[in-house]
Amino acid sequence: MPLQDSRTDDQWSTMKDLAGILVFSVALLPTLPVVAADFPAISHAEKALIEVEGYLGCPAVILFRSGRLEMEPEGKGSGSILQIKGRIKILTEEGQRYGNLKLHHAFVSGFSGRTTLSDGTTQEVEKDRVLECQQTQPGNSCTTVVSMPGVEVGAIIDYQYSVKHPSILEFKPWLFQGRVPTLKSRIAYVIPAYIGAHPWIRAPQDLIDIKTDQLPSGRVVQATMRNMPDIPDEPLSFPIEDLSSQIVMLPTHYIVEDSGYPLLATWDYAAGMFYGDYDRFKKGRATKKRARALVKGKSESDKARTLFQWVRDSIELEPRLGVAVRASATVDQLIQDGRGTPTEKALLLQAMLDAVKIDADPVWVTYRSSGVADMRTPNPGWFDTTIVRAMINGLPVYLDPSDRRCGFSHLSPELEGTQALILGRRLPPMLVDAEVIDAFQGIRLGGSFDVGNAGVSTPYGRPDVAQGVDPVARRLVGGEQVAQLVTLPTTPFRASRRHASIELVLDHDGSVTGSGSLELTGNQAWFNMTRKDSTELNAHWQAWLEEALSTSEVNLTEATEDPANRRILVSWRLKQPLKDVAANEVSLQLSRPLGPITQPFDALTRYTPAFLEFTSRDELELSLAWSEGWVLDVVPEQWERQGFAGEAIATVKLDEDNRNLQYTRRVDFASQEFPDSDQLTDLVLLYDEAQQHDEQLLVFIRP
């Protein structure tokens, strides 16, 4: 059955470049061996396919993508194995980019791939085409890129690999959609009889097919979706994890005889599953000794600041996401090796704070670019990593020792405003009575699952959050509370600022001289922080100034970074050479170096909601004097606007008698998310108005 799409051919042709055909989950193991494998035969229909009906000009198509996840295949405690297979066809020259497969998994093994050309010949993937651990943001995680051989129009790409994870407690959802259309996507969960599990679903009910097959040792739950439209990779878009149809089976409990042992029944139990490993990891005499020596004689706040900076800067980052710790790792070993994962660095900081009598707890967090987590459903797999909450002088302070661009008490915009889970220090009782087990039996043995209350996602709208785990599971709370859901603090847009101050003089000969300074604060400073030495830092900002001021005749005089206070200072001197100036006319673009702002929404039609990385403010103050003999010919119009997206005001004050001009410009991007059409329209208008204003020139002539 062909895919259907309401887009016209013209609408399709206006869309921007698509990227990232495959979206996977979890972090990365640094070795990806290449092995030989047999792939399913290519059908006549797949060979003959040259376009997808309703998607004229579509660069590629996912013919199928399937996964099989086995929970504890070798018995209790044996983790899980996910086997993934996929097939892609390249339809246009633009689609050849999808010959680079991107894997964002941990514990990958047994990769194999081949490219089948139009004439039937095949080329297998060689080891040298696997580019391992390409560092990315956020979280300094890694991506493995597999460069498939012989990719051309009409080529069919096959791939498969396995992901072995030591736990069943950190499952990410299976995404049914990608950046190009998908003809078939299927995930099968193989669940032992002694594990109770329940689906979390975010998908249109009438499009997802779920069935359960009973096995002697348990059951297989299989979910399939067909003929799924692509999710366009549009500028400033929500993460694909917010927009794709998806499912995950969550293990809620073990069943042993007539007793039940909760796993992910509640957040308290979910957190409790990790405390044994965390306590083992944090035990270390050398760590306590090191912490006390570092802060001897300091105040409480100075102790916390010193330990935070030491862990952040002294321990190198092992790029791996997730909230688990390595089985053999300890805090003492971490200090000795000088390297650890983000979660391990957070737990090291917590252990050092505890050693100097500062109350601190680990906090599970999710990067905003990973999608909004459904916190109503207990699942450690929602989280990307761990930070620390410390109580300093009675106030909570959040610390991320894995981001060297963040100072004490600062978080990246990837974490600001997101929901997080603080892990307390008391465990609930683990035994559940037989009445609750009877309730779980109905879930465990049912031949099918009722997804009637599982939440529905409208195409490319912001999805409703799924209900997830059965309400019975939510009542399995015993003892005192362990886990606490919180919303992380945010930086107001006024505090994430770019402020430029410039003084210029138009000389009699037509040259423009002057000086300027730029101050970045808050998230603007975080975003532009380089953490380079002085030579590299100066080279970076010299290149930035030459591009931002559109001239090579600029000399950087100072560039300093202050991560502790989220502040960057840059200053320069400017001389526009005579060869760039017409004999009797000089023009200046007053919005530089903060402008000109350009319109990012270049498509005629948009299909996804918009999202800014963070809110911010731009401020520009310019003073311009000119020599006698020059006359103003064109003066930019003033500008003022208010709306949901933000406010802006630009003014020009002239004193022609004294040959002086004062220009001020302020642009506020005050909102971050634009889920509905009216809000998005206002954002587009803000960019339109800013672009039109910034393109204006100030023109002098000599009569």
Side-chain angles (χ1 to χ4, degrees), residues 364-396:
W364 289 348
V365 294
T366 301
Y367 295 115
R368 183 61 188 88
S369 57
S370 298
V372 175
D374 176 11
M375 295 302 184
R376 295 181 294 178
T377 301
N379 176 23
W382 300 143
F383 300 105
D384 291 318
T385 188
T386 307
I387 62 173
V388 174
R389 184 194 67 170
M391 298 301 295
I392 310 296
N393 298 322
L395 297 175

PDB file of all heavy atoms in Angstrom, residues 364-396:
ATOM      1  N   TRP A 364      19.030  12.708  38.486  1.00  0.00           N
ATOM      2  CA  TRP A 364      18.944  12.200  37.113  1.00  0.00           C
ATOM      3  C   TRP A 364      18.344  13.276  36.225  1.00  0.00           C
ATOM      4  O   TRP A 364      17.303  13.873  36.554  1.00  0.00           O
ATOM      5  CB  TRP A 364      18.084  10.949  37.058  1.00  0.00           C
ATOM      6  CG  TRP A 364      18.723   9.743  37.690  1.00  0.00           C
ATOM      7  CD1 TRP A 364      20.012   9.600  38.087  1.00  0.00           C
ATOM      8  CD2 TRP A 364      18.081   8.499  37.997  1.00  0.00           C
ATOM      9  NE1 TRP A 364      20.226   8.349  38.607  1.00  0.00           N
ATOM     10  CE2 TRP A 364      19.057   7.653  38.560  1.00  0.00           C
ATOM     11  CE3 TRP A 364      16.783   8.025  37.837  1.00  0.00           C
ATOM     12  CZ2 TRP A 364      18.778   6.350  38.968  1.00  0.00           C
ATOM     13  CZ3 TRP A 364      16.496   6.731  38.240  1.00  0.00           C
ATOM     14  CH2 TRP A 364      17.480   5.901  38.794  1.00  0.00           C
ATOM     15  N   VAL A 365      18.969  13.511  35.075  1.00  0.00           N
ATOM     16  CA  VAL A 365      18.532  14.597  34.200  1.00  0.00           C
ATOM     17  C   VAL A 365      18.461  14.116  32.750  1.00  0.00           C
ATOM     18  O   VAL A 365      19.123  13.155  32.357  1.00  0.00           O
ATOM     19  CB  VAL A 365      19.487  15.806  34.288  1.00  0.00           C
ATOM     20  CG1 VAL A 365      19.445  16.432  35.669  1.00  0.00           C
ATOM     21  CG2 VAL A 365      20.920  15.412  33.926  1.00  0.00           C
ATOM     22  N   THR A 366      17.651  14.836  31.984  1.00  0.00           N
ATOM     23  CA  THR A 366      17.465  14.547  30.560  1.00  0.00           C
ATOM     24  C   THR A 366      17.795  15.798  29.761  1.00  0.00           C
ATOM     25  O   THR A 366      17.282  16.880  30.062  1.00  0.00           O
ATOM     26  CB  THR A 366      16.007  14.152  30.264  1.00  0.00           C
ATOM     27  OG1 THR A 366      15.661  13.006  31.044  1.00  0.00           O
ATOM     28  CG2 THR A 366      15.817  13.815  28.785  1.00  0.00           C
ATOM     29  N   TYR A 367      18.624  15.661  28.749  1.00  0.00           N
ATOM     30  CA  TYR A 367      18.903  16.790  27.873  1.00  0.00           C
ATOM     31  C   TYR A 367      17.662  17.115  27.046  1.00  0.00           C
ATOM     32  O   TYR A 367      16.966  16.215  26.565  1.00  0.00           O
ATOM     33  CB  TYR A 367      20.081  16.486  26.954  1.00  0.00           C
ATOM     34  CG  TYR A 367      21.375  16.304  27.691  1.00  0.00           C
ATOM     35  CD1 TYR A 367      22.039  15.087  27.698  1.00  0.00           C
ATOM     36  CD2 TYR A 367      21.942  17.362  28.397  1.00  0.00           C
ATOM     37  CE1 TYR A 367      23.234  14.918  28.386  1.00  0.00           C
ATOM     38  CE2 TYR A 367      23.131  17.208  29.089  1.00  0.00           C
ATOM     39  CZ  TYR A 367      23.771  15.978  29.079  1.00  0.00           C
ATOM     40  OH  TYR A 367      24.942  15.817  29.766  1.00  0.00           O
ATOM     41  N   ARG A 368      17.398  18.411  26.876  1.00  0.00           N
ATOM     42  CA  ARG A 368      16.191  18.803  26.142  1.00  0.00           C
ATOM     43  C   ARG A 368      16.206  18.280  24.718  1.00  0.00           C
ATOM     44  O   ARG A 368      15.144  17.970  24.153  1.00  0.00           O
ATOM     45  CB  ARG A 368      16.067  20.340  26.140  1.00  0.00           C
ATOM     46  CG  ARG A 368      14.794  20.836  25.466  1.00  0.00           C
ATOM     47  CD  ARG A 368      13.552  20.324  26.172  1.00  0.00           C
ATOM     48  NE  ARG A 368      12.320  20.618  25.450  1.00  0.00           N
ATOM     49  CZ  ARG A 368      11.791  19.845  24.518  1.00  0.00           C
ATOM     50  NH1 ARG A 368      12.396  18.715  24.171  1.00  0.00           N
ATOM     51  NH2 ARG A 368      10.657  20.171  23.926  1.00  0.00           N
ATOM     52  N   SER A 369      17.389  18.151  24.120  1.00  0.00           N
ATOM     53  CA  SER A 369      17.468  17.647  22.751  1.00  0.00           C
ATOM     54  C   SER A 369      17.156  16.158  22.661  1.00  0.00           C
ATOM     55  O   SER A 369      17.045  15.617  21.562  1.00  0.00           O
ATOM     56  CB  SER A 369      18.864  17.903  22.173  1.00  0.00           C
ATOM     57  OG  SER A 369      19.859  17.308  22.980  1.00  0.00           O
ATOM     58  N   SER A 370      16.979  15.487  23.809  1.00  0.00           N
ATOM     59  CA  SER A 370      16.564  14.084  23.824  1.00  0.00           C
ATOM     60  C   SER A 370      15.055  13.930  23.881  1.00  0.00           C
ATOM     61  O   SER A 370      14.555  12.804  23.890  1.00  0.00           O
ATOM     62  CB  SER A 370      17.196  13.348  25.017  1.00  0.00           C
ATOM     63  OG  SER A 370      18.594  13.340  24.932  1.00  0.00           O
ATOM     64  N   GLY A 371      14.339  15.037  23.943  1.00  0.00           N
ATOM     65  CA  GLY A 371      12.887  14.975  24.032  1.00  0.00           C
ATOM     66  C   GLY A 371      12.406  15.132  25.464  1.00  0.00           C
ATOM     67  O   GLY A 371      13.157  14.944  26.432  1.00  0.00           O
ATOM     68  N   VAL A 372      11.130  15.475  25.611  1.00  0.00           N
ATOM     69  CA  VAL A 372      10.521  15.640  26.933  1.00  0.00           C
ATOM     70  C   VAL A 372      10.146  14.272  27.481  1.00  0.00           C
ATOM     71  O   VAL A 372       9.428  13.506  26.834  1.00  0.00           O
ATOM     72  CB  VAL A 372       9.279  16.546  26.858  1.00  0.00           C
ATOM     73  CG1 VAL A 372       8.588  16.615  28.219  1.00  0.00           C
ATOM     74  CG2 VAL A 372       9.671  17.944  26.399  1.00  0.00           C
ATOM     75  N   ALA A 373      10.640  13.953  28.666  1.00  0.00           N
ATOM     76  CA  ALA A 373      10.352  12.659  29.287  1.00  0.00           C
ATOM     77  C   ALA A 373       8.976  12.678  29.946  1.00  0.00           C
ATOM     78  O   ALA A 373       8.526  13.708  30.458  1.00  0.00           O
ATOM     79  CB  ALA A 373      11.419  12.330  30.319  1.00  0.00           C
ATOM     80  N   ASP A 374       8.313  11.527  29.915  1.00  0.00           N
ATOM     81  CA  ASP A 374       7.020  11.373  30.579  1.00  0.00           C
ATOM     82  C   ASP A 374       7.279  10.969  32.021  1.00  0.00           C
ATOM     83  O   ASP A 374       7.399   9.784  32.332  1.00  0.00           O
ATOM     84  CB  ASP A 374       6.190  10.315  29.853  1.00  0.00           C
ATOM     85  CG  ASP A 374       4.876  10.038  30.563  1.00  0.00           C
ATOM     86  OD1 ASP A 374       4.519  10.799  31.487  1.00  0.00           O
ATOM     87  OD2 ASP A 374       4.200   9.050  30.200  1.00  0.00           O
ATOM     88  N   MET A 375       7.352  11.940  32.910  1.00  0.00           N
ATOM     89  CA  MET A 375       7.699  11.659  34.294  1.00  0.00           C
ATOM     90  C   MET A 375       6.581  10.983  35.069  1.00  0.00           C
ATOM     91  O   MET A 375       6.775  10.578  36.216  1.00  0.00           O
ATOM     92  CB  MET A 375       8.119  12.952  34.997  1.00  0.00           C
ATOM     93  CG  MET A 375       9.391  13.545  34.441  1.00  0.00           C
ATOM     94  SD  MET A 375      10.785  12.385  34.541  1.00  0.00           S
ATOM     95  CE  MET A 375      12.102  13.412  33.933  1.00  0.00           C
ATOM     96  N   ARG A 376       5.411  10.847  34.458  1.00  0.00           N
ATOM     97  CA  ARG A 376       4.344  10.097  35.126  1.00  0.00           C
ATOM     98  C   ARG A 376       4.602   8.602  35.053  1.00  0.00           C
ATOM     99  O   ARG A 376       3.935   7.820  35.732  1.00  0.00           O
ATOM    100  CB  ARG A 376       2.996  10.435  34.488  1.00  0.00           C
ATOM    101  CG  ARG A 376       2.583  11.887  34.679  1.00  0.00           C
ATOM    102  CD  ARG A 376       1.237  12.169  34.057  1.00  0.00           C
ATOM    103  NE  ARG A 376       1.278  12.035  32.614  1.00  0.00           N
ATOM    104  CZ  ARG A 376       0.208  12.186  31.832  1.00  0.00           C
ATOM    105  NH1 ARG A 376      -0.970  12.474  32.372  1.00  0.00           N
ATOM    106  NH2 ARG A 376       0.311  12.074  30.525  1.00  0.00           N
ATOM    107  N   THR A 377       5.548   8.203  34.229  1.00  0.00           N
ATOM    108  CA  THR A 377       5.860   6.790  34.054  1.00  0.00           C
ATOM    109  C   THR A 377       7.280   6.524  34.525  1.00  0.00           C
ATOM    110  O   THR A 377       8.233   7.023  33.925  1.00  0.00           O
ATOM    111  CB  THR A 377       5.732   6.389  32.576  1.00  0.00           C
ATOM    112  OG1 THR A 377       4.395   6.647  32.143  1.00  0.00           O
ATOM    113  CG2 THR A 377       6.047   4.923  32.374  1.00  0.00           C
ATOM    114  N   PRO A 378       7.468   5.755  35.594  1.00  0.00           N
ATOM    115  CA  PRO A 378       8.822   5.498  36.097  1.00  0.00           C
ATOM    116  C   PRO A 378       9.657   4.717  35.084  1.00  0.00           C
ATOM    117  O   PRO A 378       9.299   3.609  34.689  1.00  0.00           O
ATOM    118  CB  PRO A 378       8.579   4.663  37.363  1.00  0.00           C
ATOM    119  CG  PRO A 378       7.166   4.957  37.760  1.00  0.00           C
ATOM    120  CD  PRO A 378       6.424   5.166  36.474  1.00  0.00           C
ATOM    121  N   ASN A 379      10.764   5.321  34.670  1.00  0.00           N
ATOM    122  CA  ASN A 379      11.674   4.674  33.724  1.00  0.00           C
ATOM    123  C   ASN A 379      13.016   5.402  33.757  1.00  0.00           C
ATOM    124  O   ASN A 379      13.131   6.508  33.229  1.00  0.00           O
ATOM    125  CB  ASN A 379      11.101   4.707  32.302  1.00  0.00           C
ATOM    126  CG  ASN A 379      12.065   4.120  31.287  1.00  0.00           C
ATOM    127  OD1 ASN A 379      12.947   3.334  31.624  1.00  0.00           O
ATOM    128  ND2 ASN A 379      11.918   4.509  30.036  1.00  0.00           N
ATOM    129  N   PRO A 380      14.053   4.812  34.362  1.00  0.00           N
ATOM    130  CA  PRO A 380      15.374   5.447  34.345  1.00  0.00           C
ATOM    131  C   PRO A 380      15.902   5.680  32.935  1.00  0.00           C
ATOM    132  O   PRO A 380      16.789   6.511  32.736  1.00  0.00           O
ATOM    133  CB  PRO A 380      16.256   4.442  35.110  1.00  0.00           C
ATOM    134  CG  PRO A 380      15.292   3.687  35.980  1.00  0.00           C
ATOM    135  CD  PRO A 380      14.034   3.582  35.163  1.00  0.00           C
ATOM    136  N   GLY A 381      15.358   4.971  31.946  1.00  0.00           N
ATOM    137  CA  GLY A 381      15.790   5.153  30.573  1.00  0.00           C
ATOM    138  C   GLY A 381      15.456   6.516  29.994  1.00  0.00           C
ATOM    139  O   GLY A 381      16.013   6.896  28.960  1.00  0.00           O
ATOM    140  N   TRP A 382      14.548   7.259  30.644  1.00  0.00           N
ATOM    141  CA  TRP A 382      14.280   8.618  30.170  1.00  0.00           C
ATOM    142  C   TRP A 382      15.518   9.499  30.305  1.00  0.00           C
ATOM    143  O   TRP A 382      15.683  10.477  29.582  1.00  0.00           O
ATOM    144  CB  TRP A 382      13.169   9.292  30.976  1.00  0.00           C
ATOM    145  CG  TRP A 382      11.801   8.699  31.014  1.00  0.00           C
ATOM    146  CD1 TRP A 382      10.973   8.677  32.099  1.00  0.00           C
ATOM    147  CD2 TRP A 382      11.051   8.083  29.961  1.00  0.00           C
ATOM    148  NE1 TRP A 382       9.778   8.077  31.798  1.00  0.00           N
ATOM    149  CE2 TRP A 382       9.795   7.705  30.479  1.00  0.00           C
ATOM    150  CE3 TRP A 382      11.334   7.797  28.633  1.00  0.00           C
ATOM    151  CZ2 TRP A 382       8.826   7.068  29.723  1.00  0.00           C
ATOM    152  CZ3 TRP A 382      10.363   7.155  27.863  1.00  0.00           C
ATOM    153  CH2 TRP A 382       9.136   6.814  28.406  1.00  0.00           C
ATOM    154  N   PHE A 383      16.374   9.180  31.278  1.00  0.00           N
ATOM    155  CA  PHE A 383      17.428  10.107  31.677  1.00  0.00           C
ATOM    156  C   PHE A 383      18.721   9.858  30.897  1.00  0.00           C
ATOM    157  O   PHE A 383      19.079   8.723  30.591  1.00  0.00           O
ATOM    158  CB  PHE A 383      17.686  10.001  33.178  1.00  0.00           C
ATOM    159  CG  PHE A 383      16.471  10.319  34.009  1.00  0.00           C
ATOM    160  CD1 PHE A 383      15.748   9.320  34.628  1.00  0.00           C
ATOM    161  CD2 PHE A 383      16.032  11.624  34.138  1.00  0.00           C
ATOM    162  CE1 PHE A 383      14.620   9.602  35.376  1.00  0.00           C
ATOM    163  CE2 PHE A 383      14.904  11.929  34.881  1.00  0.00           C
ATOM    164  CZ  PHE A 383      14.192  10.910  35.499  1.00  0.00           C
ATOM    165  N   ASP A 384      19.435  10.950  30.645  1.00  0.00           N
ATOM    166  CA  ASP A 384      20.692  10.886  29.906  1.00  0.00           C
ATOM    167  C   ASP A 384      21.904  10.782  30.809  1.00  0.00           C
ATOM    168  O   ASP A 384      22.900  10.158  30.447  1.00  0.00           O
ATOM    169  CB  ASP A 384      20.845  12.124  29.009  1.00  0.00           C
ATOM    170  CG  ASP A 384      19.855  12.136  27.862  1.00  0.00           C
ATOM    171  OD1 ASP A 384      19.649  11.072  27.258  1.00  0.00           O
ATOM    172  OD2 ASP A 384      19.284  13.200  27.574  1.00  0.00           O
ATOM    173  N   THR A 385      21.848  11.408  31.966  1.00  0.00           N
ATOM    174  CA  THR A 385      23.025  11.418  32.825  1.00  0.00           C
ATOM    175  C   THR A 385      22.622  11.872  34.223  1.00  0.00           C
ATOM    176  O   THR A 385      21.435  11.974  34.544  1.00  0.00           O
ATOM    177  CB  THR A 385      24.119  12.338  32.234  1.00  0.00           C
ATOM    178  OG1 THR A 385      25.323  12.179  32.982  1.00  0.00           O
ATOM    179  CG2 THR A 385      23.699  13.794  32.237  1.00  0.00           C
ATOM    180  N   THR A 386      23.639  12.184  35.042  1.00  0.00           N
ATOM    181  CA  THR A 386      23.429  12.526  36.448  1.00  0.00           C
ATOM    182  C   THR A 386      24.201  13.793  36.790  1.00  0.00           C
ATOM    183  O   THR A 386      25.338  13.971  36.340  1.00  0.00           O
ATOM    184  CB  THR A 386      23.905  11.372  37.353  1.00  0.00           C
ATOM    185  OG1 THR A 386      23.279  10.152  36.943  1.00  0.00           O
ATOM    186  CG2 THR A 386      23.563  11.647  38.806  1.00  0.00           C
ATOM    187  N   ILE A 387      23.576  14.674  37.571  1.00  0.00           N
ATOM    188  CA  ILE A 387      24.264  15.824  38.148  1.00  0.00           C
ATOM    189  C   ILE A 387      24.101  15.733  39.662  1.00  0.00           C
ATOM    190  O   ILE A 387      23.699  14.690  40.189  1.00  0.00           O
ATOM    191  CB  ILE A 387      23.734  17.157  37.583  1.00  0.00           C
ATOM    192  CG1 ILE A 387      22.242  17.344  37.917  1.00  0.00           C
ATOM    193  CG2 ILE A 387      23.942  17.218  36.073  1.00  0.00           C
ATOM    194  CD1 ILE A 387      21.705  18.721  37.541  1.00  0.00           C
ATOM    195  N   VAL A 388      24.403  16.808  40.380  1.00  0.00           N
ATOM    196  CA  VAL A 388      24.362  16.788  41.844  1.00  0.00           C
ATOM    197  C   VAL A 388      23.562  17.982  42.341  1.00  0.00           C
ATOM    198  O   VAL A 388      23.686  19.091  41.808  1.00  0.00           O
ATOM    199  CB  VAL A 388      25.794  16.840  42.429  1.00  0.00           C
ATOM    200  CG1 VAL A 388      25.756  16.963  43.950  1.00  0.00           C
ATOM    201  CG2 VAL A 388      26.581  15.598  42.018  1.00  0.00           C
ATOM    202  N   ARG A 389      22.738  17.733  43.361  1.00  0.00           N
ATOM    203  CA  ARG A 389      22.141  18.839  44.115  1.00  0.00           C
ATOM    204  C   ARG A 389      22.805  18.890  45.484  1.00  0.00           C
ATOM    205  O   ARG A 389      22.762  17.912  46.239  1.00  0.00           O
ATOM    206  CB  ARG A 389      20.641  18.666  44.294  1.00  0.00           C
ATOM    207  CG  ARG A 389      20.000  19.879  45.000  1.00  0.00           C
ATOM    208  CD  ARG A 389      18.605  19.614  45.496  1.00  0.00           C
ATOM    209  NE  ARG A 389      18.571  18.630  46.573  1.00  0.00           N
ATOM    210  CZ  ARG A 389      17.490  18.362  47.310  1.00  0.00           C
ATOM    211  NH1 ARG A 389      16.360  19.007  47.068  1.00  0.00           N
ATOM    212  NH2 ARG A 389      17.530  17.440  48.261  1.00  0.00           N
ATOM    213  N   ALA A 390      23.425  20.009  45.804  1.00  0.00           N
ATOM    214  CA  ALA A 390      24.047  20.210  47.109  1.00  0.00           C
ATOM    215  C   ALA A 390      23.278  21.270  47.880  1.00  0.00           C
ATOM    216  O   ALA A 390      22.773  22.230  47.293  1.00  0.00           O
ATOM    217  CB  ALA A 390      25.505  20.630  46.947  1.00  0.00           C
ATOM    218  N   MET A 391      23.180  21.089  49.174  1.00  0.00           N
ATOM    219  CA  MET A 391      22.550  22.084  50.031  1.00  0.00           C
ATOM    220  C   MET A 391      23.648  22.958  50.619  1.00  0.00           C
ATOM    221  O   MET A 391      24.435  22.520  51.462  1.00  0.00           O
ATOM    222  CB  MET A 391      21.734  21.405  51.124  1.00  0.00           C
ATOM    223  CG  MET A 391      20.594  20.541  50.598  1.00  0.00           C
ATOM    224  SD  MET A 391      19.399  21.461  49.580  1.00  0.00           S
ATOM    225  CE  MET A 391      18.717  22.590  50.799  1.00  0.00           C
ATOM    226  N   ILE A 392      23.727  24.215  50.141  1.00  0.00           N
ATOM    227  CA  ILE A 392      24.767  25.142  50.564  1.00  0.00           C
ATOM    228  C   ILE A 392      24.112  26.265  51.361  1.00  0.00           C
ATOM    229  O   ILE A 392      23.274  27.003  50.826  1.00  0.00           O
ATOM    230  CB  ILE A 392      25.526  25.735  49.359  1.00  0.00           C
ATOM    231  CG1 ILE A 392      25.980  24.622  48.412  1.00  0.00           C
ATOM    232  CG2 ILE A 392      26.696  26.574  49.840  1.00  0.00           C
ATOM    233  CD1 ILE A 392      26.971  23.658  49.009  1.00  0.00           C
ATOM    234  N   ASN A 393      24.473  26.358  52.624  1.00  0.00           N
ATOM    235  CA  ASN A 393      23.880  27.378  53.506  1.00  0.00           C
ATOM    236  C   ASN A 393      22.360  27.309  53.475  1.00  0.00           C
ATOM    237  O   ASN A 393      21.668  28.333  53.470  1.00  0.00           O
ATOM    238  CB  ASN A 393      24.360  28.780  53.115  1.00  0.00           C
ATOM    239  CG  ASN A 393      25.869  28.940  53.264  1.00  0.00           C
ATOM    240  OD1 ASN A 393      26.464  28.411  54.200  1.00  0.00           O
ATOM    241  ND2 ASN A 393      26.489  29.653  52.327  1.00  0.00           N
ATOM    242  N   GLY A 394      21.847  26.097  53.422  1.00  0.00           N
ATOM    243  CA  GLY A 394      20.411  25.870  53.466  1.00  0.00           C
ATOM    244  C   GLY A 394      19.691  26.019  52.145  1.00  0.00           C
ATOM    245  O   GLY A 394      18.460  25.868  52.100  1.00  0.00           O
ATOM    246  N   LEU A 395      20.396  26.296  51.061  1.00  0.00           N
ATOM    247  CA  LEU A 395      19.766  26.499  49.756  1.00  0.00           C
ATOM    248  C   LEU A 395      20.242  25.437  48.765  1.00  0.00           C
ATOM    249  O   LEU A 395      21.420  25.054  48.781  1.00  0.00           O
ATOM    250  CB  LEU A 395      20.095  27.899  49.214  1.00  0.00           C
ATOM    251  CG  LEU A 395      19.584  29.083  50.045  1.00  0.00           C
ATOM    252  CD1 LEU A 395      20.096  30.391  49.444  1.00  0.00           C
ATOM    253  CD2 LEU A 395      18.064  29.072  50.110  1.00  0.00           C
ATOM    254  N   PRO A 396      19.343  24.969  47.872  1.00  0.00           N
ATOM    255  CA  PRO A 396      19.753  23.958  46.887  1.00  0.00           C
ATOM    256  C   PRO A 396      20.576  24.583  45.768  1.00  0.00           C
ATOM    257  O   PRO A 396      20.232  25.640  45.231  1.00  0.00           O
ATOM    258  CB  PRO A 396      18.413  23.423  46.367  1.00  0.00           C
ATOM    259  CG  PRO A 396      17.454  24.560  46.546  1.00  0.00           C
ATOM    260  CD  PRO A 396      17.906  25.278  47.788  1.00  0.00           C
TER     261      PRO A 396
END
